[in-house]
């Protein structure tokens, strides 16, 4: 088995039922996310799917929305449920990774600056090497409390800025799948 695993974080229908949802970047995201999933499968890299859960609303199991975001097609090696921003907290994921000898993680999913970034920081601090595949992440515009609006591209650029050479290597789908040597994390 590979010592690399692909994390597909919160790529779930629940997000379509949030007020900030927009389809604007969905075609690019789903194409890149699917290419990453398919490439991982072709290389024998286990694909691990993580779903976010809440007690009520569109992230509750009862809502019926905690399922893979269409049109993504995925047959994960394992599925994990989380209730925190980091996929490594109380989900069983950390144990699975350790048990299977995983040393490097490829991070993808929804939202770039939230669960994907938090999981990346946590994984790095726990000793995993991380490739953060920004083009296979999705996020949405946000408004700062002072009124400034940050578009999805602004948020992605900020996430890359704070992760690179500290917590992760920023990689394209192709670079992550090629497994090129990671830059040293500070």
């Amino acid at each position: 088995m590979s010592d690399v695993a692909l994390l597909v974080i919160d790529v779930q229908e629940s997000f379509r039922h949030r007020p900030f949802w927009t389809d604007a970047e969905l075609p690019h995201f789903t194409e890149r996310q699917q290419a990453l999933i398919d490439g991982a499968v072709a290389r024998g890299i286990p694909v691990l799917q993580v779903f976010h859960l809440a007690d009520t609303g569109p992230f509750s199991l009862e809502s019926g929305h905690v399922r893979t975001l269409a049109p993504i097609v995925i047959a994960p090696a394992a599925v994990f449920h989380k209730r925190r921003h980091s996929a490594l907290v109380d989900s069983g994921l950390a144990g699975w990774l350790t048990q299977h000898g995983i040393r490097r993680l490829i991070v993808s999913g929804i939202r770039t600056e939230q669960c994907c970034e938090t999981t990346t920081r946590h994984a790095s601090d726990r000793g995993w090497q991380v490739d953060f595949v920004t083009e296979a992440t999705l996020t949405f515009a946000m408004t700062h409390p002072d009124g400034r609006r940050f578009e999805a591209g602004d948020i992605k650029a900020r996430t890359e800025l704070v992760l690179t050479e500290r917590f992760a290597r920023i990689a394209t789908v192709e670079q992550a799948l090629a497994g090129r040597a990671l830059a040293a994390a500070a």
Side-chain angles (χ1 to χ4, degrees):
M1 179 181 254
S2 175
D3 69 346
V4 179
L6 168 60
L7 301 184
V8 179
I9 301 172
D10 301 349
V11 179
Q12 61 195 79
E13 286 293 329
S14 307
F15 281 102
R16 288 190 200 268
H17 304 277
R18 301 292 293 177
F20 51 75
W21 175 264
T22 175
D23 287 337
E25 296 191 27
L26 188 62
H28 178 74
F29 164 71
T30 56
E31 187 276 324
R32 296 283 66 206
Q33 181 70 81
Q34 194 66 59
L36 188 57
I37 292 167
D38 294 346
V41 169
R43 288 164 178 78
I45 296 170
V47 178
L48 308 176
Q49 189 167 23
V50 181
F51 289 111
H52 189 85
L53 298 181
D55 292 335
T56 60
F59 289 87
S60 70
L61 289 173
E62 294 76 21
S63 73
H65 303 307
V66 180
R67 64 182 191 278
T68 305
L69 181 74
I72 298 295
V73 176
I74 185 172
V79 175
F80 302 90
H81 294 107
K82 67 178 183 62
R83 292 180 174 270
R84 303 281 185 224
H85 291 99
S86 173
L88 296 167
V89 175
D90 298 331
S91 66
L93 175 60
W96 191 99
L97 296 170
T98 300
Q99 180 182 9
H100 289 87
I102 302 300
R103 297 181 45 213
R104 182 169 66 93
L105 300 175
I106 302 170
V107 173
S108 66
I110 304 174
R111 292 178 66 172
T112 307
E113 78 293 349
Q114 195 164 317
C115 295
C116 296
E117 181 179 327
T118 302
T119 299
T120 296
R121 288 171 179 263
H122 192 179
S124 175
D125 282 352
R126 298 255 331 243
W128 283 287
Q129 295 177 320
V130 183
D131 278 350
F132 191 89
V133 185
T134 312
E135 65 183 356
T137 69
L138 182 66
T139 197
F140 310 94
M142 297 170 67
T143 302
H144 191 280
D146 69 8
R148 288 180 292 159
R149 182 170 170 85
F150 292 83
E151 298 302 324
D154 301 326
I155 295 166
K156 286 183 172 190
R158 176 242 162 240
T159 294
E160 288 180 342
L161 173 68
V162 299
L163 290 181
T164 194
E165 296 184 18
R166 293 176 183 90
F167 300 98
R169 176 181 78 141
I170 306 305
T172 65
V173 166
E174 293 73 21
Q175 289 168 334
L177 291 172
R180 296 185 184 137
L182 292 169

